Amino acid sequence: MTRSVGGAEATAARLRAAISDGAYRPGTQLSEERLSDELGVSRNTLREAFRLLAQERLVEHVFHRGVFVRRLTTADVTDLYAARRVLETAGIHACTLDSPALTDAAAAVEAARLAAQDGQWALVGTADIRFHAALVRAVPSERLHVLMDSLLAEMRLAFLSTDDPAAFHADFVERNQAIVTALRTGDRDAAASLLGDYLDDAERTLVAAAGGSAPH
Amino acid sequence: MTRSVGGAEATAARLRAAISDGAYRPGTQLSEERLSDELGVSRNTLREAFRLLAQERLVEHVFHRGVFVRRLTTADVTDLYAARRVLETAGIHACTLDSPALTDAAAAVEAARLAAQDGQWALVGTADIRFHAALVRAVPSERLHVLMDSLLAEMRLAFLSTDDPAAFHADFVERNQAIVTALRTGDRDAAASLLGDYLDDAERTLVAAAGGSAPH
DNA sequence: GCATATTTGTCCGTATGTATA
DNA sequence: CTATACATACGGACAAATATG
């Protein structure tokens, strides 16, 4: 289904990219009038785009006050990782040797490794995210896949809070590789254990980083 | 001109209830002009309500054709149960003896039993749904709770396809009780096993019921 | 295949209520 | 308390796509 260039979907995509890139920092207000003028769309269309982004929890809709780029609290980070543990662990246990999810996960690790060699840190981060999304793909439920994509989009907000988002991802390339290796030998319990450690460490790092930013 | 009772949120709530009650059968189109006149809200407000319901997957938005009450395919039912298995199993394993989730689940079973004695089958269905929602509450992630609520709202569409939605829920009251008993003795593996059987049987029943309805 | 009517998509202007300065 | 800014909702208008004859 193709949308017009000025449609709500396209507007949401532009804002999504801008937020992920850090152009609009967490906490900044997205004024309807200013943005509708800036992006060349009507207020109604912009409001529809806001609704899409609010659904993804990238922006926060405060009643009668406006729309703001979401600022994650430590509670948000904890919540996100609790959800990821459930989904990714289920993915590990549903992952068979011939599962396309395993192939995709392995490909993501390889892409991350190559990007790291070239110093393309943004690509490393994207590949890291793709790896975790691939794990959940082993569970045969598109609804869970959609949720996982949403959680990972929200994670990008957390990454923005770290001093060095690139280094954050780079540290985990080898650990992703270890998970793939365990899955390839059919040792799902070992893979689940490695994943659990991964998530614990990543959560600790991000909670520490988010601790500095005061809520609202 | 009748004064509108409320905004988009209230309009969505009214439509949600009407759909769950079967007033609008799956597949029927929800005309903008007719409904905005019927509910006493403007077209813009109604469209806003449609977006909320589409987000919950209760209605389907076809570009330039309109909004329809969602008609679940067998693939949808399978997908829903795959997602429920992941979430509810995680809830079982996160459920401790002093967990509020266990208390809520037990209360839901008791409410279902009382309603069944009085022949209040609609209440039995509501309590059954509340039981499964309670299980997932043991997982400390609000994002998963929201997803579970969304999945259960979608499940109501599947229940509408059964010949006798009331009997469907009534059959499972005792099995819910058995799960609670297992959890109270701390035997989470037994509870998970009982839950797995429950979900398998329920899925089979609904897939058989949904098999008759052909997709548009 | 074509012309028509109907329905949806988008945008505008305005009025009202609410929160903030 | 007043003034400002903003979100919410309404009604109308026209464009675009679809359905119908």
Side-chain angles (χ1 to χ4, degrees):
Chain A
M1 56 172 61
T2 51
R3 293 287 272 204
S4 62
V5 195
E9 202 92 26
T11 305
R14 283 204 277 172
L15 289 173
R16 195 181 297 117
I19 292 173
S20 289
D21 291 349
Y24 298 111
R25 305 293 302 181
T28 59
Q29 180 167 9
L30 300 177
S31 162
E32 280 195 4
E33 189 176 354
R34 190 172 58 81
L35 268 183
S36 67
D37 190 46
E38 216 171 288
L39 301 176
V41 297
S42 77
R43 288 203 306 277
N44 277 343
T45 302
L46 183 61
R47 281 168 58 80
E48 191 170 343
F50 280 163
R51 192 160 279 286
L52 294 172
L53 295 175
Q55 175 182 347
E56 303 170 34
R57 306 180 94 126
L58 285 183
V59 302
E60 195 173 5
H61 211 144
V62 182
F63 200 71
H64 280 129
R65 280 203 49 213
V67 173
F68 302 80
V69 178
R70 196 132 203 282
R71 180 179 295 169
L72 295 186
T73 65
T74 57
D76 287 318
V77 174
T78 302
D79 194 291
L80 280 166
Y81 274 93
R84 286 185 59 180
R85 272 185 202 94
V86 169
L87 266 53
E88 298 190 40
T89 301
I92 293 265
H93 285 119
C95 195
T96 59
L97 288 175
D98 61 340
S99 169
L102 181 51
T103 310
D104 291 347
V109 170
E110 198 52 33
R113 184 191 304 284
L114 292 176
Q117 284 179 355
D118 291 2
Q120 310 243 24
W121 304 114
L123 290 182
V124 176
T126 300
D128 185 23
I129 285 176
R130 192 150 58 88
F131 168 78
H132 291 277
L135 288 183
V136 179
R137 289 294 188 281
V139 181
S141 170
E142 201 193 317
R143 283 158 182 79
L144 290 188
H145 304 167
V146 170
L147 175 69
M148 185 62 185
D149 290 343
S150 166
L151 295 179
L152 290 175
E154 208 176 343
M155 290 296 307
R156 288 184 183 274
L157 290 179
F159 299 152
L160 291 175
S161 301
T162 63
D163 299 330
D164 189 353
F168 174 82
H169 292 292
D171 279 352
F172 291 108
V173 174
E174 291 177 29
R175 300 175 74 169
N176 290 346
Q177 177 61 64
I179 292 173
V180 168
T181 302
L183 284 175
R184 280 196 166 134
T185 62
D187 194 346
R188 285 193 280 248
D189 288 338
S193 175
L194 288 169
L195 174 70
D197 294 342
Y198 175 116
L199 293 174
D200 287 346
D201 290 345
E203 179 180 353
R204 253 194 298 277
T205 301
L206 290 181
V207 164
S213 64
H216 183 263
Chain B
M1 179 64 78
T2 54
R3 218 15 103 188
S4 65
V5 193
E9 203 91 24
T11 304
R14 283 204 276 173
L15 289 173
R16 197 180 296 116
I19 293 173
S20 291
D21 291 349
Y24 299 110
R25 306 291 303 180
T28 59
Q29 179 167 10
L30 301 177
S31 161
E32 286 191 1
E33 188 177 353
R34 190 173 59 80
L35 268 184
S36 65
D37 190 47
E38 216 170 287
L39 300 176
V41 297
S42 75
R43 252 183 75 207
N44 279 339
T45 302
L46 181 63
R47 287 168 60 81
E48 193 77 2
F50 281 163
R51 287 187 205 105
L52 295 173
L53 296 174
Q55 174 182 347
E56 303 169 35
R57 307 182 90 128
L58 285 184
V59 302
E60 196 174 4
H61 207 150
V62 184
F63 198 71
H64 274 126
R65 280 204 51 215
V67 172
F68 303 79
V69 178
R70 198 134 202 280
R71 180 180 293 170
L72 296 186
T73 64
T74 57
D76 286 317
V77 174
T78 302
D79 193 291
L80 281 166
Y81 275 94
R84 286 185 59 180
R85 273 186 200 92
V86 169
L87 266 52
E88 299 190 39
T89 302
I92 294 265
H93 285 117
C95 196
T96 58
L97 289 173
D98 61 339
S99 169
L102 181 52
T103 309
D104 291 348
V109 170
E110 198 51 32
R113 183 191 304 285
L114 291 175
Q117 285 179 355
D118 291 2
Q120 310 243 24
W121 304 115
L123 291 182
V124 176
T126 302
D128 186 23
I129 286 176
R130 194 150 57 87
F131 168 78
H132 291 278
L135 287 183
V136 179
R137 290 293 188 282
V139 181
S141 170
E142 203 194 315
R143 282 158 183 80
L144 289 189
H145 304 169
V146 170
L147 175 69
M148 185 63 184
D149 290 343
S150 167
L151 295 179
L152 290 174
E154 209 175 344
M155 290 297 306
R156 289 184 182 274
L157 290 178
F159 298 151
L160 291 175
S161 300
T162 63
D163 298 331
D164 189 354
F168 175 81
H169 292 292
D171 279 352
F172 290 109
V173 174
E174 291 177 30
R175 300 175 75 167
N176 290 345
Q177 177 63 62
I179 292 172
V180 169
T181 302
L183 283 176
R184 279 198 168 133
T185 61
D187 194 346
R188 286 193 279 248
D189 288 338
S193 176
L194 288 169
L195 175 70
D197 294 342
Y198 176 116
L199 292 174
D200 287 346
D201 290 345
E203 179 180 353
R204 253 194 300 275
T205 302
L206 290 181
V207 164
S213 64
H216 180 257

